[in-house]
């Protein structure tokens, strides 16, 4: 059973290890690429996690991740690029602006009675386009010319520019995922799950439905904007088409659906997997195919892996660890691939394939080979083992 | 003043095209309870196929209707059969159709690249030509689209209200299980309706190819217009879609004249948001499917 | 002061008038039966009483407090709970988790861990302790209805609205349910029971209110009400009550 103390310890351990990666990379003279790879992974983990707090937990489908992310990026770009603000003061503004945007949408869209789920989904779809159009028209925002971000000054005490950027993204990501964990394991989380399962009934039992939905949306928007603000640092030149396109909303959906919508670890796993594959495909020059694969994956996963890969991984955790370890070892020892990241991708692929073996077949194999009983449903863990 | 009048006329005609583009999504959502984002890629792919067939065989692009409409009818049928087999419910339908949209759109981009494609005036005698009533020009491609939309909307309205098939569709839209008890096979109705929706989307694609240059990014740019029309017109309401299409077309056209072309998508989306929040059941609900 | 006062409540859906000036009251600790032919407005009244949707006209008072415009979760928090005609459990959760959610958001607002412990009490009260941790899909209709009851009871209501809780059950299950309702009543909970099965309602209720076409046509002690000519006409004129 996973107690709160242990999770906290886990977070701290991960934080410490990742914090020192840039130092390790320099000392061991490893390619700088690894730091960049991690930096981008953190971005996607955070975006997917924040999206899932709303959509996965409450069932209210949001196409709007691009809107909150875009507000975050543009807030930082405008404040630092056009008005000379310092980054550290602009960054919280990014989160705040996105938060306000999200709450405004929620305030209107969540009050509708009929078709509230569909209407919310379409409203979030529309918001991103509205913001993009507004930005294009309003010269105070962008006016179609874009904003230059090169050489944004950051405080001295953060250290070397790239390392500081990496660490800020790390912190932002940890904050986001930790918040998702806190929500999952709280009264808010259970309220959201009950809203997802049956909103009128939940209301009838005393769940403050409107307040909870707004809270989930607020968390989603705030972190999307905050993380977007950090991401803006490395953009150099911010344009509307680059920021307000389909990539962010599409990928967070895919990542969360793959990893699992019902658990806070789902988007984390999903983001790591999807980003790794996407990055390897790009480096192999298969950018066009990339989108097609993404689309196919989305269809297949939505239908095939119902609860998400993460839950499967927990049920078959021994297999997961063994498969991953063996594949990683084989790939790097025999140097089958050029880079450590490619080894990682292979190992992930092998693990996923093992997870996709259907339950019926799996149980038959397990019964023959001696058993590993599946763990109890992860949600039960919180109720049974959480010490509060 | 004349500029505004022209803008309005152009807007009305374009509204017909908007309506045609929206019929697929409107019918799917109203009758099948599926928000089918794949239709956007159907329209796009249909336009590209019309383009390709026209320049390959050197025939009149309008004639290509005979090729794409049956093709996408079949696509619609296959898609609905897939949904039925995979037990896709309303929530999943958003994700799954989004995925199909992405697949088809990137397929389009892979085959034809991101460059602009245009049929060209030697083969396309419709584009750039207009029928003139006084000083007001009626561009032929949108005029044709408007006529097609009008015809289809009126016919479908008749079909839905007077024929057995239409009644079956409305029964299934309200309560599939009850309809089954009365001898209607909801699955067959759904498959047929999905085929029709595909055909309508293909039709829209024909007029798109006739009237403008096409590129893969077009599909995403239609989201706002189509959903505005669908919501404003009422789910499953074909005449409503035409009316809403005209309203959106005129509003966007007028906005473009008064504030510049960039204002048009903004106006469209504001209409969508307003419709979503204040009148989600549409303007003319009495004749809608659900 | 009565526990619940309903005055002149009206509700229409489009052109259909579901409730037309309904007035009634409930006393603390009684079991009130709400009967009437199909379409008389019984479920609509329950939906309005629990805040599912608002009344178009009239007032509702609970312990003197005006709850006419109150949202569902507010009404739940002051002590009104309901069950649904067709059980609506949270189907991604186990029975234990379903009840725990009630505990977390009911009047006492338990924490996560307390809620899980307290759920045990209601699991045992309704005899569901054995299936507490199985998936919802594996429960029988009877068990689902008892889960509905347990979940409603976990909000610690003073007033419990039962909406056709016996529909679809066989005779022995019905007897078990009657027994359950009596035990709930013994705990001091006021009960409003909507039911088609007349013999049950007659046996359980202290008083009856009869609705027909959205209006109250009779009210009083069961024997008296069921022999009221207006009531007989209402039933025989449309449908016979189920036996």
């Amino acid at each position: 059973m996973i107690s709160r103390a242990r999770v906290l310890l886990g977070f701290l351990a991960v934080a410490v290890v990742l914090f020192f990666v840039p130092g390790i990379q320099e000392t061991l003279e490893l390619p700088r690429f690894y730091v960049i790879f991690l930096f981008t992974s953190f971005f996607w983990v955070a975006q997917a996690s924040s999206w899932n707090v709303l959509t996965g937990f409450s069932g209210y489908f949001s196409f709007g991740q691009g809107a909150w992310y875009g507000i975050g990026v543009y807030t930082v770009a405008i404040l630092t690029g056009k008005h000379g603000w310092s980054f550290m003061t602009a960054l919280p503004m990014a989160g705040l602006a996105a938060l306000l945007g999200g709450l405004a949408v929620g305030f209107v869209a969540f009050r509708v009675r009929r078709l509230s789920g569909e209407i919310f989904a379409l409203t979030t779809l529309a918001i991103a386009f509205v913001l993009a159009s507004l930005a294009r028209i309003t010269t105070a925002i962008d006016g179609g010319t874009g904003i230059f971000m090169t050489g944004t000054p950051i405080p001295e005490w953060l250290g070397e520019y790239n390392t500081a950027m990496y660490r800020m993204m790390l912190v932002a990501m940890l904050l986001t995922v930790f918040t998702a964990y806190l929500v999952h394991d709280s009264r808010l989380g259970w309220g959201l799950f009950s809203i997802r399962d049956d909103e009128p009934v939940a209301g009838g039992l005393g769940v403050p439905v409107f307040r909870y939905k707004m809270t989930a949306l607020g968390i989603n928007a705030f972190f999307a904007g905050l993380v977007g603000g950090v991401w803006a640092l490395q953009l150099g030149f911010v344009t509307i088409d680059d920021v307000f396109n389909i990539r962010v909303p599409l990928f967070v959906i895919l990542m969360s659906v793959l990893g699992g919508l019902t658990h806070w670890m789902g988007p984390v796993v999903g983001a790591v997997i999807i980003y790794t594959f996407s990055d390897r495909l790009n480096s192999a020059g298969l950018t066009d195919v990339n989108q097609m694969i993404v689309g196919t994956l989305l269809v297949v996963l939505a239908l095939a892996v119902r609860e998400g890969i993460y839950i499967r991984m927990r049920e078959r955790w021994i297999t997961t660890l063994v498969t991953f370890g063996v594949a990683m070892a084989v790939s790097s020892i025999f140097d089958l691939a050029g880079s450590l990241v490619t080894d990682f991708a292979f190992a992930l692929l092998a693990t996923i394939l093992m997870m996709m073996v259907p339950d019926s077949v799996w149980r038959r194999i397990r019964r023959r080979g001696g058993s590993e009983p599946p763990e109890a449903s992860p949600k039960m863990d919180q109720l049974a083992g959480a010490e509060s | 003043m004349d500029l505004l009048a022209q803008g309005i006329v152009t807007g009305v005609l374009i509204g017909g095209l908007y309506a045609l583009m929206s019929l697929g999504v409107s019918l799917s959502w109203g009758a099948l309870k599926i928000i089918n984002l794949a239709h956007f890629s159907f329209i796009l792919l249909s336009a590209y196929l019309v383009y390709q067939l026209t320049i390959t065989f050197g025939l009149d692009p309008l004639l290509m209707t005979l090729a794409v409409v049956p093709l996408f009818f079949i696509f619609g049928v296959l898609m609905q059969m897939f949904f039925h087999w995979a037990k896709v419910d309303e929530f999943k339908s958003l994700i799954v159709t989004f995925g199909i949209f992405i697949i088809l759109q990137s397929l389009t981009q892979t085959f034809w690249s991101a460059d602009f494609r245009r049929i060209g005036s030697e083969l396309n005698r419709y584009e750039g030509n207009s029928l003139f009533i006084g000083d007001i020009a009626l561009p032929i491609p949108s005029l044709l689209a408007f006529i097609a939309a009008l015809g289809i909307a009126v016919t479908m309205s008749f079909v839905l209200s007077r024929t057995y098939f239409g009644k079956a569709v409305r029964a299934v839209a309200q309560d599939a299980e009850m309809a089954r008890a009365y001898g209607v096979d909801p699955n067959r109705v759904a498959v047929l309706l999905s085929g029709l929706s595909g055909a309508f989307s293909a039709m829209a694609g024909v007029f798109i190819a006739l009237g403008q240059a096409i590129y893969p990014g077009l599909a995403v740019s239609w989201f706002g217009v189509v959903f505005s029309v669908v919501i404003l017109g009422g789910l499953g309401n074909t005449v409503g879609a035409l009316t809403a299409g005209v309203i959106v077309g005129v509003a966007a056209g007028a906005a473009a004249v008064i504030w510049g072309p960039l204002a048009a998508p903004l106006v469209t989306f504001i209409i969508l948001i307003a419709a979503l929040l204040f009148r989600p059941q549409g303007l003319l609900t009495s004749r809608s499917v659900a | 002061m009565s526990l619940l006062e309903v005055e002149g409540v009206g509700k229409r859906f489009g052109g259909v008038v579901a409730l037309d000036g309904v007035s009634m009251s409930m006393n603390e600790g009684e079991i009130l039966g709400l009967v009437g032919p199909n379409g008389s407005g019984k479920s609509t009244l329950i939906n309005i009483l629990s805040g599912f949707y608002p009344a178009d006209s009239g007032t509702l008072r609970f312990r003197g407090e005006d709850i006419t415009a109150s949202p569902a979760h507010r009404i739940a928090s002051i002590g009104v709970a309901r069950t649904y005609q067709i059980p609506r459990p949270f189907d991604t959760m186990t029975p234990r988790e379903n009840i725990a959610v009630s505990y977390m958001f009911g009047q006492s607002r338990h924490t996560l861990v307390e809620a899980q412990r307290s759920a045990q009490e209601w699991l045992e009260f309704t005899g569901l302790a054995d299936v507490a941790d199985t998936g919802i899909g594996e429960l029988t209709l009877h068990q689902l209805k008892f889960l509905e009851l347990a979940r409603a009871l976990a909000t610690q209501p003073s007033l419990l609205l039962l909406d056709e809780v016996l529909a679809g059950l066989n005779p022995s299950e019905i007897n078990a349910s009657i027994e359950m309702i009596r035990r709930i009543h013994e705990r001091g909970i006021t009960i409003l029971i909507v039911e088609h099965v007349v013999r049950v309602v007659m046996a359980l209720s202290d008083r009856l209110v009869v609705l027909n076409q959205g209006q109250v046509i009779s009210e009083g002690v069961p024997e008296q009400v069921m022999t009221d000519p207006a009531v007989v006409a209402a039933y025989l004129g449309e449908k016979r009550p189920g036996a």
Side-chain angles (χ1 to χ4, degrees):
Chain A
M1 299 306 160
I2 305 186
S3 73
R4 198 161 267 209
R6 273 199 231 163
V7 173
L8 201 56
L9 221 64
F11 266 97
L12 283 172
V14 167
V16 166
V17 169
L18 290 174
F19 188 83
F20 288 108
V21 163
I24 299 173
Q25 173 255 323
E26 269 182 44
T27 324
L28 294 180
E29 282 177 24
L30 294 169
R32 167 146 283 272
F33 167 72
Y34 291 141
V35 175
I36 299 173
F37 176 80
L38 283 174
F39 174 81
T40 317
S41 311
F42 298 163
F43 170 77
W44 286 111
V45 165
Q47 291 290 347
S49 292
S50 68
W51 182 83
N52 199 48
V53 168
L54 175 65
T55 301
F57 290 7
S58 80
Y60 271 81
F61 203 93
S62 166
F63 275 111
Q65 195 72 6
W68 326 134
Y69 154 74
I71 292 178
V73 170
Y74 263 90
T75 306
V76 163
I78 293 172
L79 290 178
T80 60
K82 287 197 176 190
H83 300 284
W85 282 40
S86 82
F87 179 72
M88 292 312 276
T89 27
L91 187 59
M93 290 296 132
L96 200 62
L99 172 66
L100 290 174
L103 291 180
V105 170
F107 191 78
V108 190
F110 283 146
R111 291 228 179 257
V112 175
R113 287 222 89 177
R114 262 189 78 212
L115 299 179
S116 48
E118 287 91 330
I119 287 183
F120 178 76
L122 287 182
T123 309
T124 54
L125 187 66
I127 279 295
F129 286 103
V130 169
L131 289 177
S133 291
L134 264 175
R136 223 183 288 271
I137 300 178
T138 323
T139 33
I141 299 178
D142 180 296
T145 50
I147 306 177
F148 278 97
M149 285 273 311
T150 41
T152 311
I154 55 175
E156 296 261 318
W157 56 269
L158 281 174
E160 190 265 325
Y161 197 84
N162 288 310
T163 307
M165 226 169 53
Y166 166 89
R167 285 178 175 158
M168 281 195 279
M169 188 60 93
L170 171 62
V171 169
M173 180 274 284
L174 288 172
L175 283 173
T176 311
V177 178
F178 193 67
T179 305
Y181 159 68
L182 286 178
V183 170
H184 185 241
D185 203 16
S186 71
R187 187 200 239 118
L188 171 63
W190 281 97
L192 291 173
F193 297 144
S194 66
I195 290 172
R196 180 192 59 203
D197 281 354
D198 199 326
E199 185 169 341
V201 170
L205 287 178
V207 178
V209 171
F210 178 74
R211 193 171 9 125
Y212 274 19
K213 291 191 296 194
M214 288 290 272
T215 309
L217 177 54
I219 292 174
N220 176 6
F222 175 77
F223 283 107
L226 190 75
V227 170
V230 179
W231 179 257
L233 270 185
Q234 51 86 49
L235 276 180
F237 184 52
V238 170
T239 64
I240 294 176
D241 288 326
D242 261 348
V243 171
F244 288 105
N245 60 39
I246 211 155
R247 195 167 152 78
V248 169
L250 170 61
F251 269 62
V252 298
I253 297 173
L254 183 60
M255 291 168 177
S256 301
V257 168
L258 167 63
L261 294 166
T262 56
H263 196 278
W264 62 273
M265 270 298 284
V268 175
V269 169
V272 169
I273 292 176
I274 297 289
Y275 177 62
T276 309
F277 286 174
S278 173
D279 175 75
R280 292 296 87 191
L281 283 173
N282 274 338
S283 75
L286 295 165
T287 349
D288 277 338
V289 188
N290 202 344
Q291 278 241 308
M292 230 187 310
I293 294 183
V294 164
T296 315
L297 265 179
L298 194 56
V299 175
V300 168
L301 293 173
L303 300 172
V305 188
R306 304 219 163 246
E307 346 72 71
I309 284 250
Y310 172 68
I311 305 247
R312 271 283 165 85
M313 283 181 173
R314 276 184 72 146
E315 285 171 4
R316 307 179 188 176
W317 63 275
I318 296 182
T319 314
T320 304
L321 289 175
V322 167
T323 313
F324 184 82
V326 167
M328 195 75 185
V330 166
S331 186
S332 43
I333 290 174
F334 290 98
D335 209 24
L336 290 176
S339 141
L340 199 64
V341 177
T342 317
D343 296 329
F344 183 58
F346 274 130
L348 284 177
L349 184 61
T351 315
I352 293 175
L353 289 173
M354 290 303 278
M355 295 302 114
M356 294 194 86
V357 173
D359 254 341
S360 42
V361 177
W362 188 256
R363 263 177 259 141
R364 241 177 285 147
I365 299 177
R366 259 16 212 103
R367 235 176 281 141
R368 291 233 193 100
S371 49
E372 165 207 312
E375 288 186 16
S377 107
K379 273 212 225 91
M380 271 305 299
D381 290 337
Q382 277 112 56
L383 275 189
E387 296 157 41
S388 60
Chain B
M1 202 48 220
D2 263 339
L3 213 57
L4 194 62
Q6 177 67 62
I8 290 178
V9 168
T10 318
V12 168
L13 293 183
I14 280 263
L17 179 60
Y18 290 167
L20 206 50
M21 289 163 63
S22 311
L23 283 176
V25 174
S26 183
L27 286 170
S28 292
W29 195 353
L32 306 174
K33 309 282 184 275
I34 291 179
I35 303 181
N36 197 333
L37 299 174
H39 276 289
F40 293 97
S41 52
F42 280 11
I43 300 173
L44 184 74
L45 194 54
S46 164
Y48 268 92
L49 284 174
V50 167
Y51 159 82
Q52 191 62 54
L53 291 171
T54 305
I55 63 173
T56 308
F57 294 111
L59 296 167
D60 187 315
L62 204 54
L63 221 57
M64 296 306 130
T65 312
L66 297 172
V68 290
V69 166
L71 179 65
F72 281 91
F73 180 87
I74 295 174
F75 276 4
V77 164
L78 289 175
M79 193 168 59
Q80 183 59 34
M81 287 171 62
F82 171 65
F83 289 161
H84 184 76
W85 169 78
K87 298 199 196 48
V88 173
D89 63 36
E90 234 169 308
F91 183 88
K92 285 248 148 77
S93 72
L94 268 176
I95 299 180
V96 172
T97 56
F98 194 39
I100 297 177
F101 165 78
I102 297 286
I103 295 173
L104 290 179
Q105 196 216 25
S106 33
L107 218 79
T108 308
Q109 185 156 331
T110 310
F111 277 114
W112 283 285
S113 91
D115 297 333
F116 281 57
R117 302 277 178 158
R118 195 182 218 115
I119 295 181
S121 35
E122 326 88 58
L123 290 163
N124 183 3
R125 54 200 179 89
Y126 306 98
E127 193 196 353
N129 288 322
S130 303
L131 193 67
F132 279 91
I133 295 185
D135 274 338
I136 306 285
L138 290 94
I140 302 274
S142 17
L143 180 62
L144 290 173
F146 185 85
I147 295 172
L150 186 62
I152 292 178
V154 169
T155 312
M156 274 311 286
S157 183
F158 180 79
V159 164
L160 284 174
S161 51
R162 300 294 164 98
T163 67
Y164 178 77
F165 173 66
K167 293 192 184 131
V169 168
R170 281 185 290 143
V172 167
Q174 290 190 23
D175 192 335
E177 284 313 305
M178 276 311 283
R180 195 191 298 272
Y182 281 89
V184 173
D185 182 353
N187 189 35
R188 234 197 239 162
V189 168
V191 163
L192 257 166
L193 200 63
S194 186
L196 276 176
S197 299
F200 296 154
S201 294
M203 194 79 244
V206 170
F207 294 116
I208 298 266
L210 277 185
Q212 62 177 97
I214 56 181
Y215 59 97
L218 261 185
V220 178
S221 75
W222 295 325
F223 272 34
V225 165
V226 167
F227 280 114
S228 299
V229 171
V230 167
I231 301 283
L232 202 60
L235 304 184
N237 185 340
T238 52
V239 173
L242 187 57
T243 316
V246 168
I247 293 176
V248 171
V250 170
V257 168
I258 301 175
W259 292 300
L262 293 173
L266 192 62
V267 166
T268 308
F269 277 105
I270 290 178
I271 294 180
L272 170 60
I273 294 178
L276 279 173
L277 302 171
F278 302 115
R279 238 193 123 75
Q281 69 273 38
L283 287 177
L284 303 169
T285 20
S286 54
R287 268 180 262 130
S288 67
V289 171
Chain C
M1 175 183 61
S2 32
L3 184 67
L4 177 72
E5 270 162 37
V6 178
E7 260 173 82
V9 161
K11 180 73 182 172
R12 21 170 7 124
F13 297 104
V16 179
V17 175
L19 293 177
D20 186 7
V22 170
S23 298
M24 50 168 264
S25 63
M26 286 192 72
N27 303 315
E28 188 111 34
E30 71 172 342
I31 298 185
L32 180 74
L34 184 62
V35 294
N38 275 332
S40 50
K42 309 189 292 291
S43 277
T44 309
L45 187 57
I46 295 240
N47 284 336
I48 289 178
L49 289 176
S50 57
F52 206 75
Y53 39 69
D56 292 336
S57 54
T59 46
L60 297 168
R61 266 181 227 286
F62 185 77
R63 293 194 203 279
E65 180 188 336
D66 189 336
I67 56 167
T68 317
S70 300
H73 70 260
R74 169 105 190 93
I75 292 183
S77 70
I78 59 177
V80 179
R82 68 163 299 173
T83 63
Y84 293 85
Q85 199 169 337
I86 300 174
R88 294 170 71 162
F90 296 129
D91 47 24
T92 62
M93 305 181 196
T94 64
R96 187 190 303 276
E97 290 165 346
N98 265 271
I99 299 173
V101 170
S102 263
Y103 255 105
M104 284 185 241
F105 296 98
Q107 291 196 76
S108 45
R109 315 192 69 97
H110 283 51
T111 63
L112 277 183
V113 180
E114 287 166 12
Q116 184 243 344
R117 278 193 226 118
S118 309
Q120 188 64 26
E121 178 193 342
W122 296 110
L123 285 165
E124 286 171 7
F125 184 80
T126 50
L128 291 174
D130 291 335
V131 292
D133 302 306
T134 56
I136 291 289
E138 296 175 43
L139 297 185
T140 66
L141 179 63
H142 186 46
Q143 287 171 318
L144 286 174
K145 291 204 175 244
F146 272 25
L147 179 59
E148 283 277 301
L149 278 175
R151 204 171 58 173
L153 290 169
T155 63
Q156 291 166 317
S158 349
L159 174 61
L160 180 61
L161 310 169
L162 299 176
D163 192 356
E164 307 225 15
V165 67
L166 304 178
L169 299 180
N170 65 44
S172 73
E173 289 167 343
I174 290 180
N175 288 333
S177 305
I178 295 175
E179 191 41 50
M180 178 66 52
I181 295 172
R182 286 221 171 91
R183 286 170 59 201
I184 294 172
H185 184 234
E186 276 160 32
R187 287 179 157 241
I189 297 176
T190 311
I191 299 179
L192 172 70
I193 175 166
V194 170
E195 209 29 83
H196 266 321
V197 185
V198 178
R199 72 166 173 95
V200 168
V201 175
M202 303 247 326
L204 276 175
S205 313
D206 300 319
R207 282 194 309 133
L208 282 190
V209 167
V210 185
L211 282 187
N212 189 27
Q213 299 189 327
Q215 294 177 323
V216 176
I217 60 171
S218 180
E219 102 177 70
V221 181
E223 297 73 27
Q224 195 185 337
V225 163
M226 291 319 279
T227 50
D228 183 335
V231 174
V232 174
Y235 270 102
L236 292 184
E238 279 140 295
K239 282 194 170 83
R240 287 184 171 280

